[in-house]
Coordinates of all heavy atoms in Angstrom, one line a residue:
M1 N 44.7 28.5 -13.1 CA 43.3 28.0 -13.1 C 42.4 29.1 -13.6 O 42.2 30.1 -12.9 CB 42.9 27.5 -11.8 CG 41.5 27.2 -11.5 SD 40.7 26.0 -12.6 CE 40.9 24.5 -11.7
P2 N 41.8 29.0 -14.8 CA 41.0 30.1 -15.3 C 39.7 30.4 -14.5 O 39.1 31.5 -14.6 CB 40.7 29.8 -16.7 CG 40.9 28.3 -16.8 CD 41.9 27.9 -15.7
W3 N 39.2 29.4 -13.7 CA 37.9 29.6 -13.0 C 38.1 30.4 -11.7 O 37.1 30.9 -11.2 CB 37.4 28.3 -12.6 CG 37.1 27.3 -13.8 CD1 37.1 27.7 -15.1 CD2 36.6 26.0 -13.7 NE1 36.8 26.5 -15.8 CE2 36.5 25.5 -14.9 CE3 36.3 25.2 -12.6 CZ2 36.0 24.2 -15.2 CZ3 35.9 23.9 -12.8 CH2 35.8 23.4 -14.2
R4 N 39.3 30.6 -11.3 CA 39.5 31.4 -10.0 C 39.2 32.9 -10.2 O 39.4 33.5 -11.3 CB 40.9 31.2 -9.6 CG 41.2 29.8 -9.1 CD 42.7 29.8 -8.6 NE 43.0 28.4 -8.1 CZ 44.2 28.0 -7.9 NH1 45.2 28.8 -8.0 NH2 44.4 26.8 -7.4
L5 N 38.8 33.5 -9.1 CA 38.6 35.0 -9.1 C 39.9 35.6 -9.5 O 41.0 35.1 -9.1 CB 38.2 35.5 -7.7 CG 36.9 35.0 -7.1 CD1 36.8 35.6 -5.7 CD2 35.8 35.2 -8.0
K6 N 39.8 36.7 -10.3 CA 41.0 37.3 -10.8 C 41.0 38.8 -10.4 O 40.0 39.4 -10.3 CB 41.1 37.3 -12.3 CG 41.2 35.9 -12.9 CD 42.4 35.1 -12.5 CE 42.4 33.8 -13.1 NZ 43.5 32.9 -12.6
N7 N 42.2 39.3 -10.1 CA 42.4 40.8 -9.9 C 42.6 41.5 -11.2 O 42.6 40.9 -12.2 CB 43.5 41.0 -8.9 CG 44.9 40.7 -9.4 OD1 45.1 40.5 -10.6 ND2 45.8 40.5 -8.5
R8 N 42.8 42.8 -11.1 CA 42.9 43.6 -12.3 C 44.1 43.2 -13.2 O 44.1 43.3 -14.4 CB 43.1 45.1 -11.9 CG 43.1 46.1 -13.0 CD 43.3 47.5 -12.5 NE 42.2 47.8 -11.7 CZ 41.4 48.8 -11.9 NH1 41.6 49.6 -12.9 NH2 40.4 49.1 -11.1
E9 N 45.2 42.7 -12.6 CA 46.3 42.3 -13.3 C 46.2 40.9 -13.9 O 47.1 40.4 -14.6 CB 47.6 42.4 -12.4 CG 48.0 43.8 -12.1 CD 47.1 44.5 -11.0 OE1 46.6 43.7 -10.1 OE2 46.9 45.7 -11.0
G10 N 45.1 40.2 -13.6 CA 44.9 38.8 -14.1 C 45.4 37.7 -13.2 O 45.3 36.5 -13.5
A11 N 46.0 38.1 -12.0 CA 46.5 37.1 -11.0 C 45.2 36.7 -10.2 O 44.2 37.3 -10.2 CB 47.5 37.7 -10.2
D12 N 45.4 35.6 -9.5 CA 44.3 35.1 -8.6 C 44.0 36.1 -7.6 O 44.9 36.7 -6.9 CB 44.7 33.8 -8.0 CG 44.8 32.6 -8.9 OD1 44.4 32.8 -10.1 OD2 45.2 31.6 -8.5
L13 N 42.7 36.4 -7.4 CA 42.2 37.3 -6.4 C 41.9 36.4 -5.1 O 41.1 35.5 -5.2 CB 41.0 38.0 -6.8 CG 40.3 38.9 -5.8 CD1 41.1 40.0 -5.4 CD2 38.9 39.4 -6.3
M14 N 42.6 36.7 -4.0 CA 42.4 35.8 -2.8 C 41.9 36.7 -1.7 O 42.7 37.3 -0.9 CB 43.7 35.1 -2.5 CG 44.1 34.2 -3.6 SD 45.8 33.4 -3.3 CE 45.4 32.5 -1.9
P15 N 40.6 36.9 -1.5 CA 40.1 37.7 -0.4 C 40.5 37.2 1.0 O 40.5 38.0 1.9 CB 38.5 37.6 -0.7 CG 38.4 37.1 -2.0 CD 39.6 36.3 -2.4
L16 N 40.7 35.9 1.0 CA 41.1 35.3 2.3 C 42.4 34.5 2.1 O 42.6 33.9 1.0 CB 40.1 34.4 2.8 CG 38.7 34.9 3.1 CD1 37.7 33.8 3.5 CD2 38.8 35.9 4.3
P17 N 43.4 34.6 3.0 CA 44.7 33.9 2.8 C 44.4 32.4 2.6 O 43.6 31.8 3.2 CB 45.4 34.2 4.1 CG 44.7 35.3 4.8 CD 43.3 35.3 4.3
D18 N 45.1 31.8 1.7 CA 45.1 30.4 1.4 C 43.8 29.9 0.9 O 43.5 28.7 1.1 CB 45.6 29.6 2.7 CG 47.0 29.9 3.1 OD1 47.8 30.2 2.2 OD2 47.2 30.0 4.3
H19 N 42.9 30.7 0.4 CA 41.7 30.3 -0.1 C 41.5 30.8 -1.6 O 41.7 32.0 -1.9 CB 40.5 31.0 0.6 CG 40.3 30.3 2.0 ND1 41.1 30.6 3.0 CD2 39.3 29.5 2.4 CE1 40.7 29.9 4.1 NE2 39.6 29.3 3.8
H20 N 41.2 29.9 -2.5 CA 41.0 30.3 -3.9 C 39.5 30.1 -4.1 O 38.9 29.0 -4.0 CB 41.7 29.3 -4.8 CG 43.2 29.6 -4.8 ND1 43.8 30.6 -5.5 CD2 44.2 28.9 -4.2 CE1 45.1 30.6 -5.3 NE2 45.3 29.6 -4.5
F21 N 38.8 31.2 -4.5 CA 37.4 31.2 -4.8 C 37.2 31.2 -6.3 O 38.1 31.6 -7.1 CB 36.7 32.4 -4.2 CG 36.7 32.4 -2.7 CD1 37.8 33.0 -2.0 CD2 35.7 31.7 -2.0 CE1 37.8 32.9 -0.6 CE2 35.7 31.7 -0.6 CZ 36.8 32.2 0.1
L22 N 36.1 30.6 -6.7 CA 35.9 30.4 -8.2 C 34.9 31.5 -8.6 O 33.9 31.8 -7.9 CB 35.4 29.0 -8.5 CG 36.3 27.9 -8.0 CD1 35.7 26.5 -8.2 CD2 37.7 28.0 -8.7
C23 N 35.0 31.9 -9.9 CA 34.1 32.9 -10.5 C 32.9 32.1 -11.1 O 33.0 31.3 -12.0 CB 34.9 33.6 -11.6 SG 33.8 34.7 -12.5
A24 N 31.7 32.5 -10.6 CA 30.5 31.9 -11.0 C 30.1 32.2 -12.5 O 29.3 31.6 -13.1 CB 29.3 32.3 -10.1
R25 N 30.8 33.3 -13.0 CA 30.5 33.6 -14.4 C 31.3 32.8 -15.4 O 31.0 32.9 -16.6 CB 30.8 35.1 -14.6 CG 29.8 36.0 -14.0 CD 30.0 37.4 -14.4 NE 29.0 38.3 -14.0 CZ 29.0 39.1 -12.9 NH1 30.2 39.2 -12.2 NH2 28.0 39.8 -12.5
Q26 N 32.3 32.1 -15.0 CA 33.1 31.3 -15.9 C 32.3 30.1 -16.4 O 31.8 29.3 -15.6 CB 34.4 30.8 -15.2 CG 35.3 31.8 -14.9 CD 36.0 32.4 -16.1 OE1 36.2 31.6 -17.1 NE2 36.3 33.7 -16.1
P27 N 32.1 29.9 -17.7 CA 31.3 28.8 -18.2 C 31.7 27.4 -17.8 O 30.9 26.6 -17.6 CB 31.4 29.0 -19.8 CG 31.8 30.4 -20.0 CD 32.6 30.8 -18.8
G28 N 33.0 27.2 -17.7 CA 33.5 25.9 -17.3 C 33.1 25.6 -15.8 O 32.7 24.5 -15.5
F29 N 33.2 26.6 -15.0 CA 32.8 26.4 -13.6 C 31.3 26.1 -13.5 O 30.8 25.2 -12.8 CB 33.1 27.6 -12.7 CG 32.5 27.6 -11.4 CD1 33.0 26.7 -10.5 CD2 31.5 28.4 -11.0 CE1 32.4 26.6 -9.2 CE2 30.9 28.3 -9.7 CZ 31.4 27.4 -8.8
A30 N 30.5 26.9 -14.3 CA 29.0 26.7 -14.3 C 28.7 25.3 -14.7 O 27.8 24.6 -14.1 CB 28.4 27.7 -15.2
A31 N 29.4 24.8 -15.7 CA 29.1 23.4 -16.3 C 29.5 22.4 -15.2 O 28.8 21.4 -15.0 CB 29.9 23.2 -17.5
W32 N 30.7 22.6 -14.6 CA 31.1 21.7 -13.5 C 30.1 21.7 -12.4 O 29.7 20.6 -11.8 CB 32.5 22.1 -13.0 CG 32.8 21.3 -11.8 CD1 33.4 20.1 -11.8 CD2 32.6 21.6 -10.4 NE1 33.5 19.6 -10.5 CE2 33.1 20.6 -9.6 CE3 32.0 22.7 -9.7 CZ2 33.0 20.5 -8.2 CZ3 32.0 22.7 -8.4 CH2 32.4 21.7 -7.6
W33 N 29.6 22.9 -12.0 CA 28.6 23.0 -10.9 C 27.3 22.2 -11.2 O 26.8 21.5 -10.4 CB 28.3 24.4 -10.5 CG 27.5 24.7 -9.4 CD1 26.2 25.2 -9.4 CD2 27.8 24.5 -8.0 NE1 25.7 25.2 -8.1 CE2 26.7 24.8 -7.2 CE3 28.9 24.0 -7.3 CZ2 26.7 24.7 -5.8 CZ3 28.9 23.9 -5.9 CH2 27.8 24.2 -5.2
Q34 N 26.8 22.4 -12.4 CA 25.6 21.7 -12.8 C 25.8 20.2 -12.8 O 24.9 19.5 -12.4 CB 25.2 22.2 -14.3 CG 24.7 23.6 -14.2 CD 24.4 24.2 -15.6 OE1 24.8 23.6 -16.6 NE2 23.8 25.3 -15.7
G35 N 27.0 19.7 -13.3 CA 27.2 18.3 -13.2 C 27.3 17.8 -11.8 O 26.8 16.7 -11.4
F36 N 27.9 18.6 -10.9 CA 28.0 18.3 -9.5 C 26.6 18.1 -8.9 O 26.3 17.1 -8.2 CB 28.8 19.4 -8.8 CG 28.9 19.3 -7.3 CD1 29.6 18.3 -6.7 CD2 28.2 20.2 -6.5 CE1 29.7 18.1 -5.3 CE2 28.3 20.0 -5.1 CZ 29.0 19.0 -4.5
L37 N 25.7 19.1 -9.2 CA 24.4 19.0 -8.7 C 23.6 17.8 -9.2 O 22.9 17.1 -8.5 CB 23.6 20.3 -9.0 CG 24.1 21.5 -8.3 CD1 23.3 22.8 -8.7 CD2 24.0 21.4 -6.8
K38 N 23.8 17.5 -10.5 CA 23.2 16.4 -11.1 C 23.6 15.1 -10.4 O 22.8 14.2 -10.1 CB 23.5 16.3 -12.6 CG 22.8 15.2 -13.3 CD 23.1 15.1 -14.8 CE 22.4 14.0 -15.5 NZ 22.4 12.7 -14.8
D39 N 24.9 15.0 -10.1 CA 25.4 13.8 -9.4 C 24.7 13.6 -8.1 O 24.4 12.5 -7.7 CB 26.9 13.9 -9.2 CG 27.7 13.7 -10.6 OD1 27.1 13.3 -11.5 OD2 28.9 14.0 -10.5
I40 N 24.6 14.7 -7.3 CA 24.0 14.7 -6.0 C 22.5 14.2 -6.2 O 22.1 13.3 -5.4 CB 24.0 16.0 -5.3 CG1 25.5 16.3 -4.9 CG2 23.1 16.0 -4.1 CD1 25.7 17.7 -4.3
L41 N 21.8 14.8 -7.1 CA 20.4 14.5 -7.3 C 20.2 13.0 -7.8 O 19.3 12.4 -7.4 CB 19.7 15.5 -8.2 CG 19.6 16.9 -7.7 CD1 19.1 17.9 -8.7 CD2 18.8 16.9 -6.4
D42 N 21.2 12.6 -8.6 CA 21.1 11.2 -9.1 C 21.3 10.2 -7.9 O 20.7 9.2 -7.8 CB 22.1 10.9 -10.2 CG 21.7 11.6 -11.5 OD1 20.5 12.0 -11.7 OD2 22.6 11.7 -12.4
R43 N 22.3 10.5 -7.1 CA 22.7 9.7 -6.0 C 21.7 9.7 -4.9 O 21.5 8.7 -4.2 CB 24.1 10.1 -5.5 CG 24.5 9.2 -4.4 CD 26.0 9.4 -4.1 NE 26.8 9.0 -5.2 CZ 28.1 9.1 -5.3 NH1 28.8 9.5 -4.2 NH2 28.8 8.7 -6.3
Y44 N 21.0 10.9 -4.7 CA 20.1 11.0 -3.5 C 18.7 11.5 -4.1 O 18.4 12.7 -3.9 CB 20.6 12.0 -2.5 CG 22.0 11.6 -1.9 CD1 23.1 12.2 -2.4 CD2 22.1 10.5 -1.0 CE1 24.4 11.9 -1.9 CE2 23.4 10.2 -0.5 CZ 24.5 10.8 -1.0 OH 25.7 10.5 -0.6
P45 N 18.0 10.6 -4.8 CA 16.8 11.1 -5.4 C 15.7 11.5 -4.5 O 14.7 12.3 -4.9 CB 16.3 9.9 -6.3 CG 17.0 8.8 -5.7 CD 18.3 9.3 -5.1
D46 N 15.7 11.1 -3.2 CA 14.8 11.4 -2.2 C 15.1 12.7 -1.5 O 14.4 13.0 -0.5 CB 14.5 10.3 -1.3 CG 13.9 9.1 -2.0 OD1 13.2 9.3 -3.0 OD2 14.2 7.9 -1.6
L47 N 16.1 13.4 -1.9 CA 16.6 14.6 -1.2 C 15.4 15.7 -1.1 O 14.8 15.9 -2.1 CB 17.8 15.2 -1.9 CG 18.7 16.2 -1.2 CD1 19.3 15.5 0.0 CD2 19.7 16.7 -2.1
D48 N 15.2 16.2 0.1 CA 14.1 17.2 0.2 C 14.6 18.6 -0.1 O 13.7 19.5 -0.5 CB 13.6 17.2 1.7 CG 12.9 15.9 2.0 OD1 12.3 15.4 1.1 OD2 12.9 15.5 3.2
G49 N 15.8 18.9 -0.1 CA 16.3 20.3 -0.4 C 17.8 20.4 -0.2 O 18.4 19.5 0.3
M50 N 18.3 21.6 -0.6 CA 19.7 21.8 -0.5 C 19.8 23.3 -0.1 O 19.1 24.1 -0.5 CB 20.4 21.7 -1.8 CG 20.6 20.3 -2.2 SD 21.7 20.3 -3.7 CE 21.0 19.0 -4.6
D51 N 20.9 23.6 0.7 CA 21.2 24.9 1.1 C 22.5 25.3 0.3 O 23.5 24.8 0.5 CB 21.5 25.0 2.6 CG 21.9 26.4 3.0 OD1 21.9 27.3 2.1 OD2 22.2 26.6 4.2
F52 N 22.3 26.3 -0.6 CA 23.4 26.7 -1.5 C 24.3 27.8 -0.9 O 25.2 28.2 -1.5 CB 22.9 27.1 -2.9 CG 22.3 26.0 -3.7 CD1 21.0 25.8 -3.8 CD2 23.2 25.1 -4.3 CE1 20.4 24.7 -4.5 CE2 22.7 24.0 -5.1 CZ 21.3 23.9 -5.1
A53 N 23.8 28.3 0.2 CA 24.4 29.4 0.9 C 24.4 30.6 -0.1 O 24.0 30.5 -1.3 CB 25.9 29.1 1.3
E54 N 25.0 31.7 0.3 CA 24.9 32.9 -0.6 C 26.3 33.0 -1.3 O 27.3 33.2 -0.6 CB 24.6 34.1 0.2 CG 24.5 35.3 -0.7 CD 24.0 36.5 0.2 OE1 23.4 36.3 1.2 OE2 24.4 37.6 -0.2
P55 N 26.3 33.0 -2.6 CA 27.6 33.2 -3.3 C 28.1 34.6 -3.1 O 27.2 35.5 -3.1 CB 27.3 32.8 -4.7 CG 25.9 33.0 -4.9 CD 25.2 32.7 -3.5
A56 N 29.3 34.9 -3.0 CA 29.8 36.2 -2.9 C 30.4 36.7 -4.2 O 31.2 36.0 -4.8 CB 31.0 36.2 -1.8
A57 N 29.9 37.8 -4.7 CA 30.4 38.4 -5.9 C 31.3 39.5 -5.6 O 32.2 39.9 -6.4 CB 29.2 38.8 -6.8
V58 N 31.1 40.1 -4.5 CA 31.9 41.3 -4.1 C 32.5 41.0 -2.7 O 31.6 40.7 -1.8 CB 31.2 42.6 -4.1 CG1 32.0 43.8 -3.7 CG2 30.6 42.9 -5.6
W59 N 33.7 41.2 -2.5 CA 34.3 41.0 -1.2 C 34.8 42.3 -0.6 O 35.4 43.1 -1.3 CB 35.5 40.0 -1.3 CG 35.2 38.7 -1.7 CD1 34.9 38.2 -3.0 CD2 34.9 37.5 -0.9 NE1 34.6 36.9 -3.0 CE2 34.6 36.5 -1.7 CE3 35.1 37.3 0.5 CZ2 34.3 35.2 -1.2 CZ3 34.8 36.1 1.0 CH2 34.4 35.0 0.2
K60 N 34.7 42.5 0.7 CA 35.3 43.6 1.4 C 35.1 44.9 0.6 O 36.0 45.5 0.2 CB 36.8 43.4 1.6 CG 37.0 42.2 2.5 CD 38.5 41.9 2.7 CE 38.7 40.7 3.5 NZ 40.1 40.3 3.6
G61 N 33.8 45.3 0.4 CA 33.6 46.6 -0.2 C 33.6 46.5 -1.7 O 32.7 46.0 -2.3
K62 N 34.7 46.9 -2.3 CA 34.8 47.0 -3.8 C 35.7 45.9 -4.3 O 35.9 45.9 -5.6 CB 35.4 48.3 -4.2 CG 34.6 49.5 -3.7 CD 35.2 50.8 -4.1 CE 34.4 52.0 -3.7 NZ 35.0 53.3 -4.0
L63 N 36.1 44.9 -3.5 CA 36.9 43.8 -4.0 C 36.0 42.8 -4.8 O 35.2 42.2 -4.2 CB 37.6 43.2 -2.8 CG 38.8 42.3 -3.1 CD1 39.9 43.1 -3.9 CD2 39.4 41.8 -1.8
A64 N 36.2 42.7 -6.1 CA 35.4 41.8 -6.9 C 36.3 41.2 -8.0 O 37.3 41.7 -8.3 CB 34.2 42.6 -7.5
C65 N 35.8 40.1 -8.5 CA 36.5 39.4 -9.6 C 36.5 40.4 -10.8 O 35.6 41.0 -11.1 CB 35.7 38.1 -10.0 SG 36.5 37.2 -11.3
Q66 N 37.7 40.4 -11.4 CA 37.9 41.2 -12.6 C 38.4 40.4 -13.7 O 39.2 40.8 -14.6 CB 38.8 42.4 -12.3 CG 38.3 43.3 -11.2 CD 39.1 44.5 -11.1 OE1 39.5 45.1 -12.1 NE2 39.3 45.0 -9.9
C67 N 37.9 39.2 -13.9 CA 38.2 38.3 -15.0 C 37.6 39.0 -16.3 O 36.8 39.9 -16.1 CB 37.7 36.9 -14.8 SG 35.9 36.7 -15.0
D68 N 38.0 38.5 -17.4 CA 37.4 39.2 -18.6 C 35.9 39.2 -18.7 O 35.3 40.1 -19.1 CB 38.0 38.5 -19.9 CG 39.5 38.7 -20.0 OD1 40.0 39.7 -19.4 OD2 40.1 37.9 -20.8
I69 N 35.3 38.1 -18.3 CA 33.8 38.0 -18.3 C 33.2 38.9 -17.4 O 32.3 39.7 -17.7 CB 33.4 36.5 -18.1 CG1 33.9 35.6 -19.2 CG2 31.9 36.4 -17.9 CD1 33.7 34.1 -18.9
C70 N 33.7 39.0 -16.1 CA 33.1 39.9 -15.1 C 33.3 41.3 -15.5 O 32.4 42.1 -15.4 CB 33.8 39.6 -13.7 SG 33.2 38.1 -12.9
R71 N 34.5 41.7 -16.0 CA 34.7 43.1 -16.4 C 33.7 43.4 -17.5 O 33.2 44.6 -17.5 CB 36.1 43.3 -16.9 CG 37.1 43.2 -15.7 CD 38.5 43.2 -16.1 NE 38.8 44.3 -17.0 CZ 40.1 44.7 -17.1 NH1 41.1 44.2 -16.5 NH2 40.3 45.6 -18.0
K72 N 33.5 42.6 -18.4 CA 32.6 42.9 -19.6 C 31.1 43.0 -19.0 O 30.4 44.0 -19.4 CB 32.6 41.8 -20.6 CG 31.7 42.0 -21.8 CD 31.9 40.8 -22.8 CE 30.9 41.0 -23.9 NZ 31.0 39.8 -24.8
E73 N 30.7 42.0 -18.2 CA 29.3 42.1 -17.7 C 29.0 43.2 -16.7 O 28.0 43.8 -16.7 CB 29.0 40.7 -17.1 CG 28.9 39.6 -18.2 CD 28.3 38.3 -17.7 OE1 27.8 38.3 -16.6 OE2 28.4 37.4 -18.4
I74 N 30.0 43.4 -15.8 CA 29.8 44.5 -14.9 C 29.9 45.8 -15.6 O 29.0 46.7 -15.3 CB 30.9 44.5 -13.8 CG1 30.7 43.2 -12.9 CG2 30.9 45.7 -13.0 CD1 31.8 42.9 -12.0
G75 N 30.7 46.0 -16.6 CA 30.7 47.2 -17.4 C 29.4 47.4 -18.1 O 28.9 48.6 -18.1
A76 N 28.9 46.4 -18.7 CA 27.6 46.5 -19.4 C 26.5 46.9 -18.4 O 25.6 47.8 -18.7 CB 27.2 45.2 -20.1
G77 N 26.5 46.4 -17.1 CA 25.5 46.7 -16.1 C 25.7 48.2 -15.7 O 24.7 48.8 -15.5
L78 N 26.9 48.6 -15.6 CA 27.1 50.0 -15.2 C 26.6 51.0 -16.3 O 26.0 52.0 -16.0 CB 28.6 50.3 -14.9 CG 29.2 49.7 -13.7 CD1 30.7 49.9 -13.6 CD2 28.5 50.2 -12.4
L79 N 26.9 50.6 -17.5 CA 26.3 51.4 -18.6 C 24.8 51.5 -18.6 O 24.2 52.6 -18.7 CB 26.8 50.9 -20.0 CG 26.3 51.6 -21.2 CD1 26.7 53.1 -21.2 CD2 26.8 50.9 -22.5
R80 N 24.2 50.3 -18.4 CA 22.7 50.3 -18.3 C 22.2 51.2 -17.2 O 21.2 51.9 -17.3 CB 22.2 48.9 -18.2 CG 22.2 48.1 -19.5 CD 21.4 46.8 -19.3 NE 21.9 45.9 -18.3 CZ 22.8 45.0 -18.5 NH1 23.4 44.8 -19.7 NH2 23.3 44.2 -17.5
A81 N 22.9 51.1 -16.1 CA 22.5 51.9 -14.9 C 22.6 53.4 -15.2 O 21.7 54.2 -14.8 CB 23.3 51.6 -13.7
M82 N 23.7 53.8 -15.8 CA 23.9 55.2 -16.2 C 22.9 55.7 -17.2 O 22.3 56.8 -17.1 CB 25.3 55.4 -16.8 CG 26.4 55.3 -15.8 SD 28.1 55.2 -16.5 CE 28.2 56.7 -17.4
L83 N 22.6 54.8 -18.2 CA 21.5 55.2 -19.2 C 20.2 55.3 -18.5 O 19.4 56.2 -18.8 CB 21.5 54.1 -20.3 CG 22.6 54.1 -21.2 CD1 22.5 52.9 -22.2 CD2 22.7 55.4 -22.0
R84 N 19.9 54.4 -17.6 CA 18.6 54.5 -16.8 C 18.5 55.8 -16.1 O 17.4 56.4 -16.1 CB 18.5 53.3 -15.9 CG 17.1 52.8 -15.5 CD 17.0 51.6 -14.7 NE 17.8 50.4 -15.3 CZ 18.7 49.8 -14.7 NH1 19.2 50.1 -13.5 NH2 19.3 48.8 -15.3
Q85 N 19.6 56.3 -15.5 CA 19.5 57.5 -14.7 C 19.3 58.7 -15.7 O 18.7 59.7 -15.3 CB 20.8 57.7 -14.0 CG 21.0 56.9 -12.8 CD 22.3 57.2 -12.1 OE1 23.2 57.8 -12.6 NE2 22.3 56.9 -10.8
L86 N 19.6 58.5 -16.9 CA 19.5 59.6 -17.9 C 18.1 59.4 -18.6 O 17.8 60.2 -19.5 CB 20.5 59.6 -19.0 CG 22.0 59.9 -18.4 CD1 23.0 59.7 -19.5 CD2 22.0 61.4 -17.9
G87 N 17.4 58.4 -18.3 CA 16.1 58.1 -18.9 C 16.2 57.5 -20.3 O 15.3 57.7 -21.1
L88 N 17.3 56.9 -20.6 CA 17.6 56.3 -21.9 C 17.7 54.8 -21.8 O 17.8 54.3 -20.7 CB 18.9 56.8 -22.4 CG 19.0 58.3 -22.6 CD1 20.5 58.7 -23.0 CD2 18.1 58.9 -23.6
T89 N 17.7 54.1 -22.9 CA 17.9 52.7 -23.0 C 19.0 52.4 -24.0 O 19.4 53.3 -24.7 CB 16.7 51.9 -23.5 OG1 16.5 52.2 -24.9 CG2 15.4 52.3 -22.7
P90 N 19.6 51.2 -23.9 CA 20.7 50.9 -25.0 C 20.2 51.1 -26.4 O 21.0 51.5 -27.2 CB 21.0 49.4 -24.7 CG 20.7 49.2 -23.2 CD 19.4 50.1 -23.0
R91 N 18.9 51.0 -26.6 CA 18.4 51.2 -28.0 C 18.6 52.7 -28.4 O 18.7 53.0 -29.6 CB 17.0 50.8 -28.1 CG 16.8 49.3 -28.1 CD 15.4 48.9 -28.4 NE 15.3 47.5 -28.5 CZ 14.2 46.8 -28.6 NH1 13.1 47.4 -28.7 NH2 14.2 45.5 -28.7
D92 N 18.6 53.6 -27.4 CA 18.8 55.0 -27.7 C 20.2 55.3 -28.3 O 20.4 56.3 -28.9 CB 18.5 55.8 -26.5 CG 17.1 55.8 -26.1 OD1 16.2 55.8 -26.9 OD2 16.8 55.7 -24.9
L93 N 21.1 54.4 -28.1 CA 22.5 54.5 -28.6 C 22.6 54.0 -30.0 O 23.7 54.2 -30.6 CB 23.5 53.9 -27.6 CG 23.5 54.3 -26.2 CD1 24.5 53.5 -25.4 CD2 23.8 55.8 -26.2
E94 N 21.7 53.2 -30.5 CA 21.8 52.6 -31.8 C 21.6 53.7 -32.9 O 21.0 54.7 -32.7 CB 20.8 51.5 -32.0 CG 21.0 50.3 -31.0 CD 20.0 49.3 -31.1 OE1 19.0 49.4 -31.8 OE2 20.2 48.2 -30.4
Ligands
ZN1 ZN1 34.9 36.7 -12.9

């Protein structure tokens, strides 16, 4: 299942035994989630609100999804943070 959290080796990352969590960065998961919310809103148009709880991107310290999308986006974020510390922007690298 490509939507599941992945470890560095590409296997499913299971922070809790017998639980598979999904990666919010996977486009298929995001599309499914949007459809799920649309179904709820269509079925319950008078709904006053929803509690989405807090999604977990990092588990137990440094344990995080390392799917291809997360690795790319987290890597880009780390690069931006390093450049910011140096007083630079990505445009300075062009
Ligand atoms: Zn991911």
Side-chain angles (χ1 to χ4, degrees):
M1 168 60 92
W3 300 353
R4 290 180 179 169
L5 299 182
K6 300 296 180 191
N7 64 19
R8 182 180 301 238
E9 291 76 31
D12 289 352
L13 174 65
M14 297 175 64
L16 299 172
D18 300 325
H19 287 73
H20 289 278
F21 294 90
L22 303 177
C23 175
R25 287 189 172 101
Q26 290 290 328
F29 171 70
W32 173 83
W33 185 251
Q34 289 172 350
F36 175 70
L37 294 177
K38 183 180 181 316
D39 288 347
I40 291 174
L41 294 173
D42 287 347
R43 183 169 294 183
Y44 305 101
D46 297 330
L47 198 62
D48 289 332
M50 287 190 218
D51 180 1
F52 291 102
E54 184 175 332
V58 178
W59 294 82
K60 298 179 182 175
K62 297 179 180 176
L63 196 57
C65 181
Q66 296 191 41
C67 72
D68 291 344
I69 295 172
C70 285
R71 289 170 55 157
K72 181 179 175 185
E73 291 189 12
I74 291 170
L78 291 174
L79 176 60
R80 281 194 300 272
M82 289 170 56
L83 290 173
R84 206 174 304 122
Q85 285 184 339
L86 297 171
L88 302 172
T89 70
R91 288 188 176 173
D92 293 320
L93 300 178
E94 294 175 358

